[in-house]
Amino acid sequence: MQKVCWPYFDPDFENLGERVYGPPCRVYIDNDSIQDCTVVKVNSENKQGLLLEVVQILTDMNLIIIKSYISSDGGWFMDVFHVKDEHGNKLTDKSVINHIQHAIGTSRRESDSVKASELINNANSNSLEPPLLDHGEHTAIEMTGTDRPGLFSEIFAAFADLHCNVLEAHAWSHNARLACIAYVSDDNTHAPIDDPSRLASIEDHLSTVIRATTDPASNSTHVGHKENEMDGFLAGQGKGCMNSNVERRLHQLMLSVRDFDEPFCGPSSLSLLSSKLEYCDRKTTMVSIGNCEERGYSIVTVKSKDRRRLMFDTICTLVDMQYVIFHAALRSDGADAFQEYFIRHIDGRALNTEGEKERVVKCLEAAIERRVCEGLKLELCAENRVGLLSDISRVLRENGLTVVRADVETQGQNSLNAFYVRDISGNKIDMEFVESVKKEMRPIHLEVKNEDNAKYRVAIASHEPPPVSAAPQPQPPHRFSLGEILRSQIERLSHNFVPTK
């Protein structure tokens, strides 16, 4: 056997630059300079996508970014964030501060390590997809296609028919397009589904369900699986902590089905179009693009209503469209937000054609709009079982409600379900039925939130007596009692609803 000799490399040589010049990424947390917020400063060697990584970390910690300044010219990345916690306070918890410093520094080092490994192994991967880990107890199913009323219910019913237990699911609907990511396991073995023939059968079945549309021009349907994906899986982490990797993938899926274009005007999408037209009447997002001839930048200006994760949605879209952000500024006054980005395409050119500028404008508007859900948010907690989501979504569909967004996860033995619903005709749901929900659904924990108004919430599990009104208003005959529907139909199918603690 021929003896193979390898050159010797001193293990300390890899860290020589860091020992001489300092760490490649420095994170400073300043709680003294500004009275009402914490300043997070990041100085690092620049690389494509670093800004998005930092914003993802801050977003995953539910921090509110009220102001930011970014500069990454000359191979060095300098960023300043003014942040508050989810309650609007400064960051005073030492563990939170340490986590920010560690997460950003670790993300930078791991990114460099992954890049070096890819160069060594000549790995060819899809640049749009976050890296996947190789362990887990579930299979990720991705779906895109043309949306229609009742499609969510049909998808969940298909999973039940296919003997798939949905551990977690996230779905967005915008401009008559749908994107959904579901994490499933076998309902008998509770193991990931890895049989190629069964996976092919699942993909074929779901594709048939999604393609059942009257849109003859629809060719954007896609169903795919990722085995044992753990990146972004939330089981057991509690509701409201959706990982930004999942959200980024949903943005990418919606972009792939061109939700920035106007929907096809077919009979099945008339209700979706009426909802879209209603929203356009009070649209507040404005995107404009100019050029900085002297430096060769394109200047993207975004004015919109402020909300959480706004900066993440904008940067995510620009990065996935293969644009490099060199300078940026964001400021918010609480109600409105102003963002400005100096960008070039990844090949170094500015946006020169009107067609390219129009596409960027449409994509940024769609990225901001697709997360905003008007109507009611229904939150239900129940003991998890196969077919639960199918039963709940079917009841909603049969009684005139269409789901425009869904977030489902399991926490222990419980399934936490959040459905954003609208009237199937595109109209707003009258809040008059909320009192009937409070009176009739006491055994079931249910929260109803009006996303159009300020913080309207009803806790059904409460034992408080109903408020006394001076003159009760008669309910229109065409209105229905959602409380009665859910109690009479869902409880008939399953008696395992449990209250949350």
Side-chain angles (χ1 to χ4, degrees):
M1 179 181 294
Q2 184 178 2
K3 185 177 181 180
V4 179
C5 298
W6 296 95
Y8 171 75
F9 290 97
D10 190 330
D12 293 333
F13 181 79
E14 183 180 355
N15 300 323
L16 179 62
E18 182 172 337
R19 298 204 310 270
V20 174
Y21 300 105
C25 180
R26 298 182 178 91
V27 182
Y28 305 94
I29 309 294
D30 181 6
N31 259 327
D32 301 324
S33 300
I34 301 179
Q35 182 177 1
D36 60 345
C37 68
T38 300
V39 179
V40 179
K41 301 179 182 179
V42 182
N43 295 332
S44 172
E45 297 175 4
N46 190 31
K47 71 177 183 67
Q48 171 68 352
L50 177 59
L51 174 60
L52 179 58
E53 291 178 10
V54 174
V55 173
Q56 276 185 311
I57 291 171
L58 299 179
T59 300
D60 287 339
M61 297 183 67
N62 289 326
L63 299 182
I64 304 171
I65 302 174
I66 59 176
K67 188 179 293 186
S68 180
Y69 304 98
I70 296 126
S71 179
S72 59
D73 255 347
W76 196 256
F77 174 86
M78 294 177 289
D79 200 354
V80 178
F81 296 96
H82 294 194
V83 302
K84 297 181 179 180
D85 64 18
E86 57 185 332
H87 305 294
N89 303 319
K90 297 177 67 172
L91 308 183
T92 57
D93 190 335
K94 291 294 184 182
S95 62
V96 173
I97 294 174
N98 292 336
H99 179 76
I100 294 175
Q101 293 175 320
H102 175 75
I104 295 177
T106 301
S107 173
R108 180 68 173 89
R109 290 191 296 271
E110 287 181 350
S111 177
D112 291 342
S113 176
V114 169
K115 183 177 180 181
S117 176
E118 289 178 350
L119 291 175
I120 294 173
N121 298 314
N122 281 330
N124 295 322
S125 60
N126 186 351
S127 60
L128 287 180
E129 298 188 17
L132 305 182
L133 302 184
D134 60 355
H135 59 279
E137 298 181 354
H138 60 278
T139 300
I141 306 290
E142 294 182 347
M143 294 158 279
T144 59
T146 302
D147 192 20
R148 65 180 183 273
L151 181 56
F152 285 110
S153 175
E154 295 174 27
I155 290 175
F156 291 137
F159 277 126
D161 293 339
L162 293 165
H163 303 286
C164 295
N165 183 28
V166 180
L167 304 176
E168 184 176 337
H170 303 282
W172 287 357
S173 172
H174 177 248
N175 257 0
R177 275 80 167 184
L178 166 76
C180 179
I181 301 176
Y183 299 90
V184 302
S185 64
D186 183 85
D187 64 348
N188 292 322
T189 64
H190 305 289
I193 302 171
D194 51 12
D195 179 25
S197 61
R198 185 179 179 190
L199 287 171
S201 175
I202 292 174
E203 292 180 11
D204 182 67
H205 192 143
L206 292 173
S207 297
T208 301
V209 170
I210 297 175
R211 286 198 186 100
T213 173
T214 57
D215 180 0
S218 175
N219 58 359
S220 57
T221 300
H222 168 73
V223 178
H225 73 277
K226 295 179 180 178
E227 299 176 20
N228 301 336
E229 179 181 342
M230 282 295 292
D231 196 12
F233 185 65
L234 305 180
Q237 297 183 22
K239 64 179 180 179
C241 63
M242 183 175 175
N243 189 286
S244 60
N245 281 326
V246 179
E247 295 181 331
R248 183 182 181 189
R249 188 58 185 153
L250 286 170
H251 276 302
Q252 293 166 351
L253 292 174
M254 294 297 278
L255 186 64
S256 70
V257 293
R258 301 178 64 88
D259 75 317
F260 50 86
D261 288 335
E262 290 300 318
F264 171 78
C265 187
S268 65
S269 58
L270 288 179
S271 62
L272 300 170
L273 278 173
S274 63
S275 174
K276 173 68 177 176
L277 293 174
E278 179 185 349
Y279 174 76
C280 289
D281 290 338
R282 47 200 176 112
K283 183 177 177 180
T284 57
T285 303
M286 297 177 58
V287 181
S288 60
I289 299 179
N291 285 330
C292 178
E293 302 290 348
E294 181 180 354
R295 300 298 302 273
Y297 295 129
S298 291
I299 306 174
V300 179
T301 303
V302 182
K303 297 179 181 179
S304 66
K305 291 292 184 182
D306 191 24
R307 60 169 175 78
R308 296 186 180 186
R309 300 176 180 261
L310 177 63
M311 188 177 188
F312 169 79
D313 293 340
T314 307
I315 294 175
C316 176
T317 301
L318 290 174
V319 171
D320 288 337
M321 294 181 70
Q322 302 296 302
Y323 292 103
V324 180
I325 300 172
F326 289 88
H327 304 279
L330 175 143
R331 67 174 183 270
S332 168
D333 60 6
D336 300 309
F338 174 86
Q339 301 177 77
E340 189 175 52
Y341 298 91
F342 292 74
I343 68 172
R344 295 191 191 117
H345 195 268
I346 197 169
D347 61 9
R349 60 178 176 82
L351 284 69
N352 297 320
T353 66
E354 291 302 318
E356 186 177 14
K357 291 180 180 180
E358 181 181 1
R359 184 172 185 270
V360 172
V361 169
K362 287 184 177 180
C363 289
L364 289 177
E365 289 177 346
I368 294 173
E369 293 171 6
R370 68 174 63 114
R371 190 192 289 272
V372 178
C373 294
E374 300 179 349
L376 289 180
K377 179 181 180 182
L378 305 180
E379 295 184 350
L380 287 164
C381 177
E383 186 174 339
N384 190 33
R385 62 174 175 83
V386 177
L388 173 65
L389 298 178
S390 173
D391 294 339
I392 295 176
S393 56
R394 180 179 59 80
V395 169
L396 297 176
R397 179 190 63 183
E398 291 176 350
N399 291 276
L401 294 179
T402 181
V403 179
V404 295
R405 178 176 168 184
D407 293 306
V408 176
E409 64 175 276
T410 54
Q411 187 176 22
Q413 297 297 318
N414 295 339
S415 174
L416 305 178
N417 311 308
F419 295 97
Y420 296 77
V421 299
R422 289 181 63 89
D423 187 87
I424 202 167
S425 62
N427 301 321
K428 295 180 182 178
I429 301 174
D430 198 326
M431 292 297 292
E432 291 179 358
F433 76 92
V434 173
E435 282 303 320
S436 66
V437 175
K438 185 175 181 179
K439 295 176 182 177
E440 301 172 20
M441 295 285 292
R442 292 187 187 278
I444 301 173
H445 180 85
L446 170 67
E447 286 188 356
V448 181
K449 298 180 182 179
N450 189 344
E451 296 293 310
D452 293 333
N453 299 328
K455 306 277 187 181
Y456 194 98
R457 181 176 300 185
V458 176
I460 305 306
S462 172
H463 298 286
E464 299 176 0
V468 179
S469 57
Q473 299 293 331
Q475 191 166 347
H478 70 280
R479 293 293 176 187
F480 55 87
S481 168
L482 183 61
E484 182 180 354
I485 294 166
L486 292 176
R487 183 181 62 180
S488 62
Q489 297 192 38
I490 297 181
E491 283 197 314
R492 177 173 54 83
L493 296 170
S494 172
H495 297 282
N496 52 11
F497 280 90
V498 295
T500 55
K501 300 297 182 181

